[in-house]
Amino acid sequence: MSSITAREETDSHPLPPGWRSYTSPEGLRYYVNSCSKETTWRRPSSSAEAPQRPLARQNCSPYAGGSQSGTKTSRPTETTHVALRKPTINKQINCVTFPLPGEGPEQQLLKPNEWSYCDYFWTDKKDPQGTTSVAGFEVLLQKQLKGKQMQKEMAEFIHERIKIEEEYAKNLSKLSLSPLAAQEEGTLGEAWTQLKKSLHDEAEVHLKFSNKLHSEVEKPLLTFRGDNFKKDLKKYDHHIADLRKQLASRYAGVEKARKALADRQKDLEVKTQQLEIKLSNKTEEDIKKARRKSTQAGDDLMRCVDLYNQTQSKWFEEMVTTSMELEKLEVDRIEWIQQHLRQYTTLRHETDMFNQSTVEPVDQLLQNVDPAKDRELWVKENKTGEVRPVDMDI
């Protein structure tokens, strides 16, 4: 499975912190903010605002609680609660993080004004009943499968058209051998004989038309992207699905670490309060131990968030790459069908032209039909005598 190449650009003009550059399948470079997922075709300037970590690490860990003096009378600072009460600027939908409306920098489309797949299929789509959801990438795969089915149905349609042409050619050829009006004579008889012959010629034209429809339209539609196409789509599906599973696992790790941090902070707060009001004989060493556990829990959460963000970035990159590959596949499919439907119309025009040529001799003979000439020919062949009767003599 191909992936987008990421670059930090460590030349004389490095990217601002948090920005990375990628190359699309078409070879175009674009830029992604690894924190906010802001995307742009323009190279960010060095003055661009650096992204902030979801939970910023400080010299004094915000998860430790209390002052660093270690006195018994010290109370937990408000910093203890900041990590848990920090205003939310994003939301998680099916383990994927999205910005809240109106929060953070405005995201730009990767391919503005092109309605590209890579810009419009990030969220999951609920089914009409609203009971389950379909991943945006799955919608793209379904489009590919539907396109394959439409291509197959078009081939079936052309096949039915071929059968009609073959039956029509067969009936024309049979009719051309009909003995009806075979005894017509003269110039009209010649025209009539040519008309019947034109049916045979027209039958040949339609037979050739049906053969070309099969080889130049039906067969290409049937063989375009054979059985391996669905296997390739499954590879895409499994690849992206695996990344989503990894993302879900990382998200579960974040939630577990978040809960562990909350438990450690609560435990630290309770022990500190008990020490203050002398409800417990806990020593200051116990408080330090609880503070260390709280700090460790905060560090664990930071690590889980980092792993989550790395996994989501990988999924994001593969989604962009793969969706653009699927987009190109759809463009290729449409152009392929367009090309062969145009071939159909070309063959159809050729058939009309050839059919016209079969009736031109008939038109010419019909123009030469001469009743007087036919009468002369018929009389010469069938006359019984040219001496006319006269009156009887006595």
Side-chain angles (χ1 to χ4, degrees):
M1 188 66 59
S2 60
S3 61
I4 295 178
T5 304
R7 300 181 178 86
E8 293 291 349
E9 296 199 16
T10 56
D11 55 15
S12 58
H13 301 287
L15 290 171
W19 287 92
R20 303 180 76 185
S21 68
Y22 300 93
T23 302
S24 71
E26 290 90 346
L28 301 177
R29 178 174 294 185
Y30 65 95
Y31 302 87
V32 179
N33 187 308
S34 59
C35 180
S36 66
K37 293 298 180 288
E38 178 185 1
T39 57
T40 178
W41 291 106
R42 288 185 180 178
R43 189 184 193 282
S45 64
S46 58
S47 61
E49 180 181 358
Q52 300 298 317
R53 297 172 65 100
L55 295 173
R57 187 185 297 272
Q58 301 176 359
N59 292 334
C60 175
S61 174
Y63 311 110
S67 68
Q68 297 301 308
S69 64
T71 62
K72 287 186 178 181
T73 57
S74 64
R75 295 182 59 85
T77 65
E78 285 302 312
T79 313
T80 305
H81 308 282
V82 168
L84 299 180
R85 296 179 181 175
K86 183 179 179 180
T88 302
I89 61 172
N90 52 46
K91 60 181 178 179
Q92 283 72 40
I93 302 177
N94 292 343
C95 304
V96 180
T97 302
F98 296 96
L100 289 173
E103 298 289 343
E106 181 180 357
Q107 294 185 350
Q108 297 181 9
L109 297 177
L110 287 172
K111 303 181 77 173
N113 304 319
E114 293 190 28
W115 293 96
S116 175
Y117 288 176
C118 66
D119 283 319
Y120 295 99
F121 293 91
W122 292 105
T123 55
D124 297 343
K125 178 181 180 181
K126 287 188 175 181
D127 65 3
Q129 289 74 29
T131 54
T132 59
S133 59
V134 179
F137 187 74
E138 187 67 25
V139 175
L140 294 177
L141 290 178
Q142 291 175 0
K143 170 63 174 172
Q144 293 292 319
L145 293 174
K146 181 180 178 181
K148 179 69 174 176
Q149 179 62 25
M150 294 302 99
Q151 170 190 324
K152 178 182 177 182
E153 292 182 11
M154 288 179 185
E156 292 177 358
F157 180 90
I158 297 298
H159 183 70
E160 292 300 315
R161 181 73 171 90
I162 291 172
K163 289 168 63 177
I164 291 173
E165 286 296 320
E166 290 175 342
E167 187 66 21
Y168 184 50
K170 178 181 176 182
N171 290 334
L172 283 177
S173 182
K174 181 179 178 181
L175 184 59
S176 69
L177 301 176
S178 171
L180 295 175
Q183 296 180 355
E184 181 62 56
E185 300 171 325
T187 57
L188 181 59
E190 292 177 1
W192 175 249
T193 300
Q194 184 61 45
L195 186 146
K196 291 200 297 181
K197 182 179 182 301
S198 72
L199 296 186
H200 175 78
D201 296 339
E202 187 178 353
E204 290 294 320
V205 170
H206 285 277
L207 192 58
K208 289 180 180 178
F209 176 49
S210 67
N211 290 334
K212 286 188 175 182
L213 280 181
H214 171 70
S215 61
E216 300 180 22
V217 182
E218 180 193 16
K219 188 175 180 180
L221 289 176
L222 282 174
T223 56
F224 181 63
R225 292 178 182 159
D227 297 335
N228 290 332
F229 179 66
K230 290 186 178 180
K231 294 180 181 179
D232 293 339
L233 290 184
K234 285 184 178 180
K235 290 180 182 179
Y236 284 122
D237 189 17
H238 291 163
H239 180 61
I240 298 299
D242 286 345
L243 291 176
R244 280 296 293 265
K245 288 178 182 178
Q246 294 175 26
L247 188 60
S249 176
R250 296 299 188 193
Y251 180 75
V254 169
E255 292 302 299
K256 182 178 179 180
R258 197 190 306 277
K259 182 179 183 302
L261 173 60
D263 292 341
R264 292 299 183 186
Q265 288 183 325
K266 183 177 180 181
D267 179 61
L268 174 61
E269 186 174 352
V270 168
K271 287 182 178 180
T272 304
Q273 290 175 351
Q274 288 176 346
L275 182 63
E276 286 181 343
I277 60 180
K278 302 185 186 304
L279 292 179
S280 173
N281 58 356
K282 298 289 183 182
T283 64
E284 184 176 342
E285 187 62 32
D286 293 329
I287 300 299
K288 289 182 178 180
K289 184 177 180 180
R291 186 178 294 121
R292 285 195 300 270
K293 289 184 178 180
S294 179
T295 301
Q296 181 61 46
D299 291 340
D300 289 343
L301 177 58
M302 292 286 292
R303 179 180 59 82
C304 289
V305 169
D306 284 341
L307 291 174
Y308 169 86
N309 286 336
Q310 291 173 20
T311 304
Q312 182 171 256
S313 293
K314 176 64 175 176
W315 171 74
F316 171 82
E317 295 165 13
E318 291 298 318
M319 273 287 291
V320 171
T321 301
T322 312
S323 63
M324 293 178 75
E325 288 176 356
L326 293 180
E327 180 179 307
K328 186 176 185 305
L329 287 176
E330 178 63 5
V331 171
D332 292 343
R333 182 189 76 90
I334 291 175
E335 290 180 344
W336 177 268
I337 293 176
Q338 178 192 33
Q339 173 188 344
H340 289 84
L341 293 185
R342 281 180 172 173
Q343 182 63 13
Y344 168 84
T345 59
T346 298
L347 293 174
R348 186 69 180 83
H349 290 313
E350 288 180 356
T351 301
D352 289 342
M353 182 180 67
F354 291 142
N355 281 337
Q356 182 64 31
S357 68
T358 64
V359 297
E360 287 176 356
V362 181
D363 284 336
Q364 186 175 359
L365 287 175
L366 286 174
Q367 291 175 2
N368 294 332
V369 169
D370 184 350
K373 180 67 174 176
D374 285 5
R375 186 172 62 250
E376 175 187 346
L377 293 174
W378 184 82
V379 168
K380 286 181 178 179
E381 184 176 346
N382 296 279
K383 64 182 180 178
T384 59
E386 57 188 69
V387 178
R388 295 183 297 277
V390 296
D391 289 344
M392 181 185 299
D393 288 338
I394 298 177

